[in-house]
Amino acid sequence: MLKGPLHTSKASPSRWFNRLYTLVYTVAIFALLYHHSCNLIYSPSLTTFFLLVADLVLAFFWATWQSFFFNPVHRQVFPENLAQVAKESDYPGLDVFVCTADPFKEPPVGVINTVLSVLAYDYPTDKLSVYLSDDGGSQLTLFAFMEAAKFAKHWLPYCKKYNILDRSPEVHFRKDPSLFLETNEIKAMYENMKSTIKDVMDKGTIDVEQFNDDRTIKALTKWTSRFTRHQHPTVIEVLLKRNHDKDVSGHYMPNLFYLAREKNKAAPQNFKAGAINALLRVSATLTNAPIFLILDCDMYSNDPKTPLHFLDPTIGSNFGFVQFPQLFDNINKYDTYTTEHVLENRICTSGMDGLEGMSFMGTNAFFKREALTGKPTKAKWKWNEQNQSEYDLTLAHRVASCSFEENTKWGSEIGFRYGTLVEDAYTSFRLQCLGWKSVACRPDRPAFLGNMPISLNDFLMQTKRWYMGLLQVAISKFSPITFGIRNMNPLQALCHAYFQFRAFWCIPIIIYAFLPQLALVNSTAIFPKVSDPWFSLYVFLFLGAYGKNLVDYVVAGSTLKKWWSYQRMWLILGCSTYLFSFFDWLVTSLGMSTLEFNVTSKVSDNEQEIRYHKGIFSFGVESPMFVSINVAVIVNFFAFFMGIGHVLINNGRVEELFGQLFITGFGVVIGWPIFEGMVLRSDKGKMPIKTTLISVCVALSIHLLFSSAF
Ligand SMILES: O=c1ccn([C@@H]2O[C@H](COP(=O)(O)OP(=O)(O)O[C@H]3O[C@H](CO)[C@@H](O)[C@H](O)[C@H]3O)[C@@H](O)[C@H]2O)c(=O)[nH]1
Ligand SMILES: [Mn+2]
């Protein structure tokens, strides 16, 4: 008999306030659209047309955003009550999939920390297997993991003996310099492993002759002269075998497998989705656990008891996965680039959880294997798990080959779905359309922590990939507003639409970043006068939107400083990422470019870190995305001073031009760090001179071009 529940979920009382707000604001939006339509009919011009288009797109995003507020839920989990319903021996098998793709962008020591943190889970070792997928097909990564497997034999018993919470060694040694009797000894081993790996990384190759054990030599000599990153046979290595390999205290270790799936230039690789599907099949031949966890190599487990959060045997049979939030331990107090994703992690999560379920965020989620391989059926904890002592790797090699997926449903109806750069959001969307449900779980102690880029360019490149990938889904036969609305809760489909169409945000942002400014330079008024009643509608809409957003930010537990960064980055992304992801989508759809997954770099230099922690932007490299941001900033600065000039010379016009002066002034304040980067800074992270000069030329041309337009 259950004494306490395993989990509870409560609808948030704030939903009533939100529904009322939505109602009032909707009326105001319709009034504005009516105002624009009248203007377009009675005084048609390109300006009135663009203002209508901008506000229509904003209204679309506002409407889809409201679906997150319809029924947010607060969920709590009580794993301490699990012992009342299940013994450890009843726990299901758990396969953990960690992906890496490039040893130079994703240094193996970081990946080792990810893997060790889950290998050391407080979970029966005979039920736990960790699989590393190496899409970089790198001998260096395999070598690093051979070293890691040796270190794990010391690390696991140490963690368990002292019940250590931080099971990523890097984090543990950073926080607790010398806590226990063995700490210094284990730390020395860790440092030693790091320096062995660093030596090999610096050299870039491995001299196989230096080894004398057959197993290592056999594994490493698979890298022949014909073996390249894009063309190589499958490599599978059993680095640790459960019920066979023991740690230094004599306890059995979990499984640790290395997999580099076959690569062939002629066969599509499908990026991470392809890697996970290969892992799904390989693991099915070896361990076939009913539950698997996906973890990116830039995350680590922050709580060894996390798997227990998934184990509610009473949960519905159509329950597909549980998503833990993506939280990061390297965010500064300003959240300069808004990499913390406060709203996505709080508002969107509880909002979608209260509808039909969370989106998958690419990492930190436990899935039921069945969700990827079949339709919702009766829940079963017991699965046809494989628990053999000898692994037959022949079948595993066969299912990891390039040709295996030919003429199968992998990528279309089975496994992670192909055809987009955001396999995560897309696959969970398709699963939800099939009837699978999911929940968001947010324990007080974060289950996982990770790293986000700390240079603007890295973040822009990353988000460009996301929004391009999302657009691929938005404009496809599986679009949430056509297919989604028919196959899932329509509000849930709107939540997906909010994300998937996000590239279109560039339309209103670019219109508002240029149109009022260029009109102001030419002294043309485009908004109602201050004394006009329509002006108060603008004031209400502006304050209502920004004010509500601020409330949401604060309710999500964030700060005013971070909210301000969010406002800045929203506009910066509008002039860069959103626009460029749209172009990327266009050229790829027209067949002029092939799809590419640009792996985010997980390496940063010291100076960059110092700048980031002071809240200073890092530009540093040349990028066309910087040009478009700079141009918007230059246009706003120039227009603001021209506007002030017009008002001073011609006093009476301040009423007419106030709206434009305000928006342009807002642009100046928001754009200040960019202006600083272009003009006032001399450090290595400043805007490259060439980028600034190109931007000035483009801004000048725009001014010349539009000087006669008004
Ligand atoms: O061909 C590839 C490309 C990437 N990866 C792995 O995928 C993960 C995510 O790549 P990363 O460069 O870190 O991308 P992010 O933008 O940080 O990732 C977010 O966005 C991706 C979709 O664009 C999702 O796959 C991720 O889970 C999500 O965290 C990493 O572990 C990579 O090693 C592969 O295994 N194979
Ligand atoms: Mn990442």
Side-chain angles (χ1 to χ4, degrees), residues 239-546:
L239 298 175
L240 289 172
K241 193 157 41 161
R242 68 186 176 196
N243 300 329
H244 178 274
D245 285 314
K246 288 185 176 165
D247 65 27
V248 289
S249 70
H251 291 102
Y252 281 126
M253 305 277 292
N255 279 323
L256 174 60
F257 298 100
Y258 170 91
L259 164 72
R261 61 186 165 130
E262 187 194 0
K263 288 282 174 76
N264 177 344
K265 277 186 201 141
Q269 288 310 310
N270 297 301
F271 319 114
K272 187 178 161 196
I276 299 276
N277 284 347
L279 281 170
L280 271 170
R281 293 191 300 268
V282 167
S283 63
T285 71
L286 300 176
T287 49
N288 206 24
I291 290 169
F292 66 91
L293 161 68
I294 298 188
L295 210 51
D296 281 349
C297 64
D298 47 9
M299 305 294 301
Y300 60 87
S301 158
N302 186 50
D303 183 349
K305 301 227 178 301
T306 299
L308 306 188
H309 291 74
F310 187 74
L311 304 182
D312 184 349
T314 59
I315 202 149
S317 58
N318 55 357
F319 173 64
F321 66 92
V322 52
Q323 172 73 57
F324 289 80
Q326 270 211 57
L327 303 173
F328 308 99
D329 64 359
N330 70 331
I331 308 287
N332 70 7
K333 66 171 186 264
Y334 308 94
D335 188 12
T336 309
Y337 305 122
T338 57
T339 39
E340 197 175 357
H341 292 101
V342 172
L343 296 181
E344 285 84 349
N345 266 324
R346 296 300 289 246
I347 309 272
C348 300
T349 329
S350 51
M352 289 181 97
D353 195 350
L355 296 168
E356 299 213 312
M358 259 307 284
S359 259
F360 173 42
M361 292 167 148
T363 175
N364 310 356
F366 290 82
F367 281 82
K368 221 190 249 172
R369 185 180 282 267
E370 205 185 350
L372 274 303
T373 51
K375 286 203 161 73
T377 51
K378 261 221 105 18
K380 52 179 174 207
W381 246 28
K382 299 258 183 275
W383 189 261
N384 189 15
E385 284 175 47
Q386 315 244 2
N387 218 344
Q388 72 260 51
S389 51
E390 278 312 310
Y391 290 120
D392 175 9
L393 297 180
T394 327
L395 186 55
H397 275 84
R398 201 160 71 76
V399 297
S401 73
C402 288
S403 56
F404 187 83
E405 289 186 352
E406 279 170 22
N407 304 320
T408 66
K409 291 182 176 161
W410 281 94
S412 56
E413 284 169 47
I414 310 178
F416 276 73
R417 309 311 201 244
Y418 298 152
T420 163
L421 287 174
V422 287
E423 74 301 324
D424 46 0
Y426 179 48
T427 303
S428 55
F429 167 68
R430 291 282 305 274
L431 292 182
Q432 286 165 356
C433 287
L434 287 174
W436 289 101
K437 306 278 185 268
S438 55
V439 297
C441 181
R442 169 183 285 278
D444 291 338
R445 181 175 167 97
F448 302 96
L449 286 173
N451 268 299
M452 264 301 200
I454 56 165
S455 91
L456 183 60
N457 189 50
D458 285 347
F459 183 56
L460 295 185
M461 295 296 287
Q462 184 187 40
T463 45
K464 182 164 72 116
R465 159 160 48 76
W466 294 349
Y467 300 127
M468 139 78 178
L470 288 165
L471 202 56
Q472 288 180 299
V473 185
I475 307 181
S476 74
K477 69 173 182 186
F478 295 111
S479 175
I481 51 174
T482 52
F483 183 81
I485 279 195
R486 282 186 282 120
N487 289 284
M488 56 171 35
N489 178 337
L491 282 174
Q492 178 76 354
L494 289 183
C495 292
H496 285 280
Y498 170 79
F499 285 116
Q500 292 183 10
F501 283 96
R502 233 149 116 161
F504 284 150
W505 239 338
C506 68
I507 300 171
I509 294 178
I510 290 195
I511 293 179
Y512 275 109
F514 288 92
L515 186 65
Q517 293 72 358
L518 293 169
L520 183 63
V521 170
N522 293 291
S523 201
T524 310
I526 63 167
F527 293 125
K529 274 187 188 176
V530 175
S531 52
D532 186 331
W534 287 111
F535 183 82
S536 12
L537 181 65
Y538 270 96
V539 174
F540 173 78
L541 285 168
F542 181 87
L543 292 181
Y546 276 84

Side-chain angles (χ1 to χ4, degrees), residues 585-601:
W585 171 81
L586 209 63
V587 290
T588 316
S589 311
L590 295 175
M592 287 152 70
S593 156
T594 48
L595 217 52
E596 218 181 302
F597 190 113
N598 214 327
V599 176
T600 309
S601 167

